[in-house]
Amino acid sequence: MKLYDAAWAPSPRRVRIFLAEKGITVERVMVDLRADEQLSDPYLAINPRGAVPALELDSGEVICESAAICRYFEALQPAPTLFGDNPLDIGRIESWTRRIESDGYAAAVYALRNARENFKDRGAPGKWPTMPQIPELAARGMIMWEAFTEALDRHLATREWIATDAYSFADISALVTIDFARAAKLMLPERCHAIARWHERASARPSAAA
């Protein structure tokens, strides 16, 4: 199988961190986003949506979306579990992952794609018709980011990890989100001491460098 990857994009990084935690090695094919290789005909034949990552199986079938790819590998190799090994932990991890994606990651995407000049007419990732920037969405992203980090900081005040007592896919998702948000100039508020402590622990894991 082949994993179509990109060096600096957040979604491929989420898969790389997950695989590193699992100790899984997969052949990687790098896609040059700066050259818009993800929108080239050869790559669109693999993933018509024009987004990374994508996992091409030996059968030729392609799995897209970072969370789906990680779910696939979790099913292939359950241990060490990162999606939970009992019903309650599975629910907790899923709940926090969805919240991180919808509140934190979406905020960063709104702020980045609707404010940066190099994303003019590309308001969403992947292959779309011309999509103008909407400044109001950038402003919304900043408001969402403030609310997200405040809520996450309160949650982490008495916890080591986000969803359960162990490092999980929710922590991977939050780490990638917070690091990616810097590209949109969304920084952690200085008052978020609990997130800062958590981020230091998460970033110290060898997988964070994957």
Side-chain angles (χ1 to χ4, degrees):
M1 66 180 74
K2 296 178 183 178
L3 177 66
Y4 290 84
D5 195 356
W8 53 269
S11 293
R13 185 188 177 208
R14 181 156 73 155
V15 175
R16 291 198 304 272
I17 293 174
F18 179 88
L19 294 177
E21 288 284 339
K22 289 281 195 180
I24 297 173
T25 301
V26 181
E27 179 183 353
R28 292 162 58 197
V29 178
M30 302 307 295
V31 178
D32 187 350
L33 302 185
R34 298 190 189 279
D36 284 339
E37 189 178 357
Q38 77 278 15
L39 302 178
S40 67
D41 289 340
Y43 186 72
L44 290 175
I46 295 162
N47 181 6
R49 186 166 173 261
V52 287
L55 180 68
E56 185 177 20
L57 306 181
D58 292 340
S59 65
E61 184 172 351
V62 177
I63 300 173
C64 301
E65 305 299 331
S66 59
I69 292 170
C70 293
R71 285 280 192 183
Y72 174 78
F73 282 112
E74 177 94 344
L76 284 180
Q77 181 180 305
T81 179
L82 290 167
F83 282 99
D85 57 8
N86 63 71
L88 183 55
D89 282 354
I90 289 170
R92 287 168 171 163
I93 293 167
E94 183 70 15
S95 176
W96 269 102
T97 297
R98 294 297 182 99
R99 185 170 180 180
I100 291 160
E101 292 172 342
S102 64
D103 296 359
Y105 186 76
V109 172
Y110 284 160
L112 180 70
R113 287 198 167 262
N114 290 282
R116 293 278 291 272
E117 177 64 25
N118 53 327
F119 288 110
K120 183 179 179 180
D121 294 329
R122 297 176 64 174
K127 182 175 175 58
W128 293 90
T130 298
M131 189 174 293
Q133 292 175 318
I134 303 174
E136 291 82 359
L137 282 180
R140 178 184 295 182
M142 295 177 67
I143 295 169
M144 290 171 62
W145 183 252
E146 288 288 327
F148 167 71
T149 52
E150 182 178 336
L152 183 59
D153 193 68
R154 286 197 305 269
H155 177 71
L156 282 169
T158 59
R159 304 180 57 84
E160 182 175 7
W161 301 115
I162 291 175
T164 70
D165 291 338
Y167 183 85
S168 74
F169 189 67
D171 296 288
I172 295 174
S173 300
L175 178 64
V176 169
T177 292
I178 289 170
D179 290 348
F180 167 60
R182 293 172 181 162
K185 303 188 185 308
L186 298 177
M187 312 302 290
L188 280 180
E190 291 186 6
R191 64 182 180 275
C192 290
H193 302 297
I195 295 181
R197 289 193 298 270
W198 163 87
H199 186 267
E200 184 176 3
R201 289 192 300 270
S203 298
R205 298 176 74 88
S207 63

XYZ file of all heavy atoms in Angstrom, residues 18-25 77 80:
77
model
N 0.000 9.235 14.195
C -0.723 8.013 14.550
C 0.107 6.776 14.210
O 0.269 5.869 15.036
C -2.058 7.981 13.809
C -2.887 6.760 14.081
C -3.767 6.728 15.148
C -2.800 5.644 13.268
C -4.538 5.599 15.402
C -3.566 4.516 13.506
C -4.434 4.496 14.586
N 0.645 6.721 13.001
C 1.447 5.564 12.584
C 2.701 5.422 13.438
O 3.108 4.304 13.770
C 1.818 5.680 11.108
C 0.664 5.612 10.107
C 1.180 5.808 8.684
C -0.082 4.278 10.217
N 3.312 6.548 13.800
C 4.505 6.497 14.647
C 4.166 5.934 16.018
O 4.937 5.142 16.589
C 5.116 7.890 14.776
N 3.032 6.319 16.580
C 2.611 5.778 17.871
C 2.361 4.277 17.776
O 2.624 3.529 18.726
C 1.342 6.485 18.350
C 1.544 7.918 18.813
C 2.193 8.006 20.182
O 2.136 7.020 20.944
O 2.759 9.077 20.501
N 1.874 3.847 16.641
C 1.591 2.425 16.425
C 2.837 1.620 16.054
O 2.831 0.387 16.136
C 0.569 2.268 15.291
C -0.833 2.707 15.640
C -1.536 1.648 16.439
C -3.018 1.876 16.485
N -3.710 0.815 17.275
N 3.869 2.308 15.599
C 5.050 1.596 15.110
C 4.819 0.970 13.755
O 5.414 -0.065 13.431
N 3.969 1.598 12.939
C 3.634 1.080 11.611
C 4.393 1.871 10.555
O 4.418 3.105 10.583
C 2.116 1.185 11.340
C 1.342 0.305 12.332
C 1.790 0.782 9.903
C -0.174 0.477 12.233
N 5.010 1.167 9.629
C 5.729 1.791 8.524
C 4.990 1.529 7.222
O 4.619 0.385 6.937
C 7.162 1.248 8.410
O 7.860 1.496 9.647
C 7.910 1.924 7.274
N -4.244 -3.194 13.344
C -3.320 -3.398 14.473
C -3.878 -2.677 15.695
O -3.565 -1.516 15.937
C -1.926 -2.863 14.115
C -0.895 -3.065 15.214
C 0.468 -2.522 14.834
O 1.023 -2.880 13.806
N 1.014 -1.647 15.665
N -0.866 -0.574 20.181
C -1.539 0.074 21.309
C -2.759 0.854 20.831
O -2.693 1.556 19.824
C -0.461 1.020 21.867
C 0.370 1.360 20.673
C 0.400 0.117 19.822
